Amino acid sequence: MDWKMFQGLLSGVNKYSTGFGRIWLSVVFVFRVLVFVVAAERVWHEDWKDFDCNTRQPGCPTACYNSIFPILHTRLWALQLIFVTCPSLLVVMHVAYRKERERKYRAKHGEDARLYDNTGQKHGGLWWTYLLSLFFKTGIEISFLYLLYLTYDSFHVPRQVKCDVFPCPNQVDCYIGRPTEKTVFTYFMVGASAFCIVLNISEIFYLIFHRVLRLARRGRHDVPRSRCGHEDCRQCNMAMTSLDYKPGSCDNEDVQAAAPELPFKH
């Protein structure tokens, strides 16, 4: 894994994130990536050397180790960190697409012309892209937690396990090296992942709430429409403004008296 590229990706996403998103990035980089690189990866380094079984049968300890650890915790966490940061690329790519459109628009209409007020502002399609990335990240986190639990039947690393796979002559007892240390790091990484899920769900509700609030405010600021006082208009019960006037439907004076004055920019 190229950690410099990974750090650059997280730094780029941080510019377009909300407050919850920035906390999520800090948790991922400090409490997951750094802990994984500095400590957790070393705990499982050459773990097979500390794995021992009470048998002299050739190939039995190796077969039991592969059966008990079909995929190491560290390999699973590395895949999880890669997949969980991939949805953030969607946001970065969308912003890059907006910047390219903005550049072409200014080249065609002049430097003072603007297509977007802010290319990183979460409106329109970028809002949907950001929301979908949160759903993807939440789904990936939950899937990997379930996969880890399904693979080992628990987040706890036992001291002793029983194995009866071929070529073991019978059921043998095998012992895992440093089980307490591995259990602590496992629960720590699981807890950090669960906290990231909570942050993603909170950010989803935050985005939806602000979108609904913005739409509600936009509806309140719509220009009210007055009803025409003419007798014919009362019969058809149509809301009219000065822009709705059609010759022959009502008198022009009645429409202008009933309709509000709308400001026009020349």
Side-chain angles (χ1 to χ4, degrees), residues 78-93:
L79 285 175
Q80 183 179 5
L81 289 173
I82 293 172
F83 278 103
V84 84
T85 52
C86 281
S88 300
L89 280 173
L90 297 175
V91 180
V92 176
M93 292 172 62

Side-chain angles (χ1 to χ4, degrees), residues 113-249:
R114 303 193 61 166
L115 188 61
Y116 300 100
D117 293 335
N118 185 359
T119 55
Q121 194 172 15
K122 288 179 286 297
H123 288 303
L126 185 59
W127 184 87
W128 286 103
T129 301
Y130 194 91
L131 186 67
L132 287 176
S133 69
L134 292 176
F135 279 108
F136 287 152
K137 288 190 290 187
T138 305
I140 291 170
E141 294 277 20
I142 295 174
S143 299
F144 272 91
L145 285 180
Y146 177 73
L147 181 61
L148 180 64
Y149 185 87
L150 185 66
T151 303
Y152 297 103
D153 295 327
S154 173
F155 298 130
H156 176 76
V157 180
R159 296 178 179 273
Q160 176 183 348
V161 292
K162 297 186 178 295
C163 176
D164 56 356
V165 298
F166 180 82
C168 298
N170 47 37
Q171 188 179 74
V172 297
D173 294 329
C174 296
Y175 304 92
I176 301 174
R178 293 175 291 181
T180 303
E181 191 174 5
K182 294 174 182 175
T183 300
V184 170
F185 277 102
T186 300
Y187 277 110
F188 180 86
M189 296 297 285
V190 169
S193 181
F195 184 62
C196 288
I197 293 174
V198 173
L199 289 175
N200 288 333
I201 294 176
S202 301
E203 191 171 11
I204 289 173
F205 282 106
Y206 172 82
L207 288 175
I208 294 177
F209 173 76
H210 274 262
R211 182 62 176 264
V212 173
L213 189 63
R214 190 182 302 114
L215 292 176
R217 289 177 178 175
R218 185 184 302 174
R220 289 193 199 133
H221 287 84
D222 286 344
V223 178
R225 310 186 78 188
S226 301
R227 294 190 177 275
C228 176
H230 194 273
E231 182 177 358
D232 294 336
C233 293
R234 292 197 198 98
Q235 292 176 0
C236 62
N237 196 27
M238 294 178 59
M240 299 188 67
T241 67
S242 59
L243 299 178
D244 295 324
Y245 171 72
K246 293 181 180 180
S249 61

